[in-house]
Amino acid sequence: AFFKISFTKDYAISIEDSEPDTSCSMLCQSGSVHSKRKVIHDFLLNPRSSKIATVWHSIDILFICVSIAFLIMETDPNLKPHFTEPSDSYYGVIYAINAFVIAFFTIDLVLRFLTWPTFLSFWKNIFNILDILSILPFYVGLIADITAQGSDTPLDGATEVELDAMTKRYVVLRVCRIFRIIRIFKFVRHSQDLILIVRVVVHAKKELGLLVILLGIFTITFGSIMYYVEHEVNGQFNSIMQGCWWSIVTITTVGYGEVVPVTPGGKFVGSVVLTLGIVFLALPMTIIVSKFSSVYEKEKGDSKD
């Protein structure tokens, strides 16, 4: 294989080449520079390296909480004007706090980039990619605001080309704003236990894949059956996709109740799906839990060593 997925000592998932990259190590043999880079690198990745590192990581966690809180509060209709309307009295304060938080995340990311052992390994680390995506929406929005101010054209007097450009810019902003959700994954870097759980999930990928395949087979099969049994008299099952939605909700024993069978045949199929759903969850779960427990204990022992 040309690449392999592994976990580095800095508690990050990375994709490594089969042949190590020694280009940077050749250039970084000058003692003092290499030593300082290593100290800063440990400072940024290991909160136990010093008391200042502990404070730095604590601030990082606090700012992650603030950023996620802003993300949630911004969607509330009563609070949204504080985040989106420049004329609002709280807008300036909230924007300044958000900008300061993003500046901290950016400094942390830039320092990690400058002190990372090799350029290529930095981009192979999945947490570095997530950090870039988490701060990207702020800078994209900032650039969009600057360009919008430079071409301040009223909607009534805008040409078709200008309206099309505004629409594309709006779509890009909406897509970028979704990436802010990624900030919650920044917590993973600060917890060895979360990293351990991720390792266990990676080791149990075959069992989890089996569970997903079985769920897909049962969902499509019974969703199709329910559609053909119910669609002529029950408008709720107007497509196989709607039947699959009912099927997956029933198999997982959630049962929202907004889509229900009304014919005797549909109710019989529903009873079968309910019964098989219990069996479906019980059998693979025992295998997954057993695998999870064994791998968890092994990884826990290795991390202590």
Side-chain angles (χ1 to χ4, degrees):
F2 294 100
F3 299 97
K4 64 177 182 179
I5 298 177
S6 61
F7 292 84
T8 60
K9 292 182 180 180
D10 53 8
Y11 307 112
I13 307 171
S14 63
I15 306 175
E16 300 177 357
D17 288 326
S18 56
E19 297 183 1
D21 181 12
T22 58
S23 58
C24 183
S25 60
M26 300 283 291
L27 300 174
C28 298
Q29 295 300 322
S30 53
S32 60
V33 176
H34 182 69
S35 177
K36 290 178 181 178
R37 286 183 59 187
K38 186 176 185 303
V39 169
I40 298 174
H41 185 72
D42 292 340
F43 167 82
L44 295 171
L45 295 179
N46 185 10
R48 298 181 180 87
S49 61
S50 65
K51 292 183 179 180
I52 301 178
T54 303
V55 174
W56 180 270
H57 284 260
S58 300
I59 295 174
D60 191 24
I61 293 174
L62 175 63
F63 284 173
I64 293 172
C65 294
V66 172
S67 178
I68 295 172
F70 280 3
L71 173 64
I72 296 171
M73 292 166 62
E74 186 178 345
T75 59
D76 186 276
N78 298 322
L79 300 176
K80 191 172 184 178
H82 302 331
F83 295 87
T84 58
E85 298 293 338
S87 59
D88 188 89
S89 58
Y90 293 98
Y91 176 83
V93 176
I94 293 176
Y95 186 86
I97 295 173
N98 189 39
F100 185 78
V101 169
I102 295 299
F104 179 87
F105 291 157
T106 305
I107 293 172
D108 182 80
L109 180 63
V110 170
L111 288 176
R112 274 189 282 125
F113 175 75
L114 295 176
T115 60
W116 209 263
T118 63
F119 175 82
L120 192 58
S121 63
F122 175 86
W123 295 104
K124 291 176 182 178
N125 188 294
I126 190 170
F127 288 115
N128 293 335
I129 303 300
L130 292 177
D131 287 345
I132 293 172
L133 293 177
S134 68
I135 64 175
L136 184 63
F138 177 83
Y139 292 107
V140 172
L142 187 63
I143 294 172
D145 290 339
I146 294 173
T147 54
Q149 291 175 1
S151 58
D152 193 8
T153 304
L155 291 177
D156 296 337
T159 64
E160 185 176 348
V161 176
E162 290 173 335
L163 287 174
D164 184 59
M166 292 179 186
T167 303
K168 290 180 180 179
R169 185 164 55 204
Y170 177 75
V171 172
V172 170
L173 288 175
R174 288 293 298 271
V175 173
C176 287
R177 288 168 77 88
I178 296 175
F179 286 124
R180 293 190 300 169
I181 303 171
I182 296 175
R183 293 175 190 174
I184 197 170
F185 292 104
K186 292 171 70 69
F187 278 119
V188 179
R189 282 196 299 111
H190 297 283
S191 174
Q192 295 185 27
D193 292 330
L194 289 176
I195 290 293
L196 187 59
I197 292 175
V198 173
R199 290 181 178 179
V200 172
V201 171
V202 171
H203 281 292
K205 58 182 178 295
K206 291 183 179 179
E207 290 75 12
L208 293 173
L210 174 63
L211 180 64
V212 172
I213 291 173
L214 289 175
L215 181 61
I217 292 173
F218 275 94
T219 298
I220 295 174
T221 301
F222 288 105
S224 302
I225 293 173
M226 187 60 75
Y227 166 74
Y228 288 112
V229 172
E230 288 281 320
H231 79 281
E232 293 183 356
V233 296
N234 188 352
Q236 293 177 323
F237 292 91
N238 54 11
S239 67
I240 291 180
M241 288 187 293
Q242 189 67 28
C244 289
W245 164 250
W246 170 87
S247 180
I248 194 171
V249 168
T250 305
I251 290 174
T252 54
T253 67
V254 175
Y256 288 122
E258 83 281 16
V259 180
V260 294
V262 295
T263 64
K267 292 179 180 179
F268 174 76
V269 174
S271 301
V272 174
V273 174
L274 281 169
T275 305
L276 291 179
I278 299 173
V279 178
F280 166 78
L281 291 176
L283 292 180
M285 280 300 174
T286 54
I287 301 174
I288 292 173
V289 170
S290 176
K291 176 74 173 182
F292 192 91
S293 299
S294 60
V295 174
Y296 182 83
E297 292 298 327
K298 181 179 180 299
E299 291 287 342
K300 193 174 182 180
D302 293 342
S303 63
K304 289 181 178 179
D305 296 339

